[in-house]
Amino acid sequence: MTDVDYKGSSAQTSFGRETTFGTKPTNTNESFGKVISCSIQNDSGIFRHRDKSSGRNVGQLVPGRIKVEGGLEYTPQNGLFLEYAFGTKRMGAKADGTVADDDTEVVSGCTIEDQTVPDMTVKLGSGGSYDIGGSNYTTTALATITITAAHATLDRVDIVSIHDNAGTTVATVTDGTPATSPVPDYASVPSGDLILALVYTRAATTTILQADIRHIFWIIEARELPSVTIEDDYLNPNLTGTDDIIRYFRGCKLESISYSVAMGQAEPVGFKLEMMGIKDTTNESGATASVITDSTAKFYLEWNTQIEIASGTNYDLNDFSFSIKNGCKHKGTNGRYYSKIVEGVREYSANAKIDLINKLEIERYYGASGATEAEDDIGLFTLKHTLKRANYDFIEFSFPEAAYAKVPISDPLDDAIQQELDIILSSCTVQLVDGTETYG
């Protein structure tokens, strides 16, 4: 092999979900999104041993325990990797638009698709598995599910839901109200249905394309985190397809994740991860890295985010940051490596900067509406932060129980008066509405 410098511009990072903790899966070519950097590494823990006979020198170097951990930063093109921060993923939604659970969810399949020759109908294949009210059903094929004709000038978001009738799948399309910023009409979905997807019916359109169909995912908390093998490659600069340096970090769990948005930032929203693993291996000779399918999905941008505090109160957002720490710890012994990673106490934190437009946040800080000093009760409220992109795709973080740790106010002469809100959170649910992902 000719010696050529390996360059970061010809590196790549991907992952694969492990079915057995610490065992590399067959494929490790799933995409995070656009990876900016990967700094996962191992600390070999070598000790210096001194004794009287060694004099002033180190008598012996002794191998210690190897610890695998480090950071990874990427720009998301969907929110599915968040599953590894919270613990589990659900598919579909209940009839009222709320989170799917063990009793009502998509188990597999159940994909809503456009027609081979697109028109104003969509279709559902057979063999999908889904639960409603604790009972499991299998989909029968629906070749044409009709979408109502589009409004001439306004967009609409329609809902496709299903239920079972004596072994036959029945689909319902619940039309949304045409609007400049349309929303689904969850209140009109038949009770007892399972929502599979949203259809973004564009103004004056005569065809529904796959890109108009939005699938619904939920990321929710679970006691145990799934694990992944991360593949970090240094591709041969000659691009011959061999002699790539391939590093596998096995048994990786997500210790923390954070993101932040700031008014006027000059780059898309990015996620920063801290990973912990149990073992790394490197294939250096004659190896070929995995082929990763590069996503073409759009990014989530700062100017397309929104914060909602309490019941529908929307604020102009200057800055927002959010983080999860899973309290993971290395445990056990497998030679020089640790044998497992144990999850600890999960902690959330957030910070927001908003313009002072009323006194509600000060009152919530004190604990009650109209309060002018701290009350005995904590002022709990709901908080949502949404990352959006074109055509109704979004990642929405929902915090049902939040409280302010502090509400300092700054009053610059050349700007609006701002509140910087340190927020304490107890739990979080994430809803993903995505036009680029299907159920698998």
Side-chain angles (χ1 to χ4, degrees):
M1 182 179 73
T2 302
D3 291 339
V4 181
D5 291 334
Y6 288 84
K7 298 179 176 65
S9 57
S10 59
Q12 65 179 27
T13 305
S14 58
F15 74 96
R17 180 164 185 158
E18 298 176 346
T19 54
T20 301
F21 175 71
T23 300
K24 175 186 169 297
T26 302
N27 296 312
T28 53
N29 61 347
E30 294 186 55
S31 173
F32 288 94
K34 303 297 186 183
V35 176
I36 299 167
S37 65
C38 178
S39 57
I40 303 173
Q41 54 191 329
N42 69 64
D43 179 355
S44 60
I46 295 175
F47 299 101
R48 299 180 180 88
H49 181 267
R50 298 176 185 272
D51 56 32
K52 291 182 178 180
S53 63
S54 65
R56 296 180 63 192
N57 296 324
V58 173
Q60 189 174 357
L61 298 178
V62 181
R65 186 72 66 89
I66 294 174
K67 182 179 289 187
V68 176
E69 58 187 4
L72 191 150
E73 184 175 358
Y74 72 100
T75 303
Q77 291 168 286
N78 61 55
L80 295 180
F81 192 78
L82 292 169
E83 172 186 3
Y84 299 95
F86 289 82
T88 192
K89 175 179 64 181
R90 301 286 186 191
M91 305 176 185
K94 295 180 181 178
D96 59 0
T98 57
V99 60
D101 57 26
D102 284 339
D103 291 335
T104 303
E105 67 169 336
V106 172
V107 178
S108 63
C110 300
T111 301
I112 298 295
E113 299 177 328
D114 65 348
Q115 301 292 354
T116 304
V117 179
D119 56 18
M120 289 301 289
T121 68
V122 295
K123 62 186 178 182
L124 172 67
S126 62
S129 177
Y130 66 100
D131 296 333
I132 294 180
S135 297
N136 181 257
Y137 304 98
T138 301
T139 60
T140 55
L142 295 172
T144 56
I145 303 171
T146 302
I147 306 298
T148 303
H151 188 275
T153 59
L154 297 172
D155 298 335
R156 196 179 68 227
V157 178
D158 302 331
I159 303 170
V160 180
S161 62
I162 61 171
H163 67 270
D164 183 85
N165 183 14
T168 299
T169 303
V170 178
T172 300
V173 178
T174 303
D175 293 352
T177 300
T180 303
S181 299
V183 295
D185 181 13
Y186 290 116
S188 299
V189 176
S191 176
D193 271 22
L194 171 67
I195 296 173
L196 296 185
L198 306 177
V199 176
Y200 193 85
T201 307
R202 295 166 284 118
T205 188
T206 57
T207 57
I208 300 299
L209 306 177
Q210 194 63 45
D212 299 321
I213 300 169
R214 268 78 187 126
H215 292 99
I216 301 174
F217 301 85
W218 301 88
I219 307 297
I220 60 177
E221 298 161 330
R223 183 174 296 276
E224 186 173 359
L225 298 174
S227 63
V228 298
T229 292
I230 293 177
E231 178 180 331
D232 193 35
D233 306 323
Y234 302 99
L235 305 181
N236 178 358
N238 290 325
L239 299 178
T240 59
T242 59
D243 293 317
D244 297 332
I245 300 175
I246 306 173
R247 302 189 73 190
Y248 296 108
F249 300 100
R250 307 182 189 197
C252 288
K253 293 193 176 186
L254 202 156
E255 157 57 9
S256 70
I257 183 170
S258 63
Y259 74 89
S260 61
V261 295
M263 183 180 293
Q265 70 184 37
E267 57 188 22
V269 177
F271 290 162
K272 295 182 179 180
L273 316 179
E274 289 294 328
M275 305 295 301
M276 297 177 67
I278 60 167
K279 190 172 185 178
D280 76 302
T281 56
T282 301
N283 191 339
E284 295 179 341
S285 177
T288 301
S290 293
V291 176
I292 304 172
T293 301
D294 206 24
S295 175
T296 59
K298 295 182 182 298
F299 296 132
Y300 299 90
L301 302 172
E302 168 273 326
W303 51 263
N304 223 7
T305 69
Q306 176 180 306
I307 188 169
E308 178 183 309
I309 299 173
S311 55
T313 307
N314 297 323
Y315 289 87
D316 291 332
L317 179 63
N318 296 313
D319 303 320
F320 184 84
S321 61
F322 168 64
S323 67
I324 306 169
K325 291 186 177 181
N326 281 310
C328 294
K329 293 181 174 62
H330 286 100
K331 295 286 186 179
T333 300
N334 180 16
R336 291 186 65 192
Y337 294 98
Y338 291 93
S339 61
K340 56 186 175 181
I341 296 174
V342 178
E343 297 87 344
V345 176
R346 181 183 284 117
E347 295 182 354
Y348 301 106
S349 63
N351 177 274
K353 290 182 182 179
I354 61 176
D355 293 337
L356 179 61
I357 59 176
N358 58 44
K359 60 184 180 180
L360 288 177
E361 305 324 312
I362 297 174
E363 293 176 347
R364 289 192 180 104
Y365 170 69
Y366 284 139
S369 177
T372 58
E373 60 182 43
E375 305 292 313
D376 291 339
D377 294 328
I378 298 172
L380 297 177
F381 55 92
T382 60
L383 172 69
K384 293 181 180 179
H385 188 245
T386 307
L387 309 178
K388 300 179 183 178
R389 63 184 179 198
N391 292 343
Y392 204 71
D393 289 359
F394 63 81
I395 304 174
E396 181 179 86
F397 296 84
S398 297
F399 312 100
E401 194 173 70
Y404 291 133
K406 64 177 181 178
V407 187
I409 295 176
S410 62
D411 53 354
L413 291 176
D414 59 346
D415 201 351
I417 293 176
Q418 294 181 355
Q419 300 174 95
E420 182 173 351
L421 312 171
D422 280 354
I423 306 167
I424 298 175
L425 309 166
S426 63
S427 62
C428 179
T429 299
V430 183
Q431 183 183 14
L432 313 178
V433 174
D434 197 306
T436 63
E437 296 296 330
T438 56
Y439 299 139

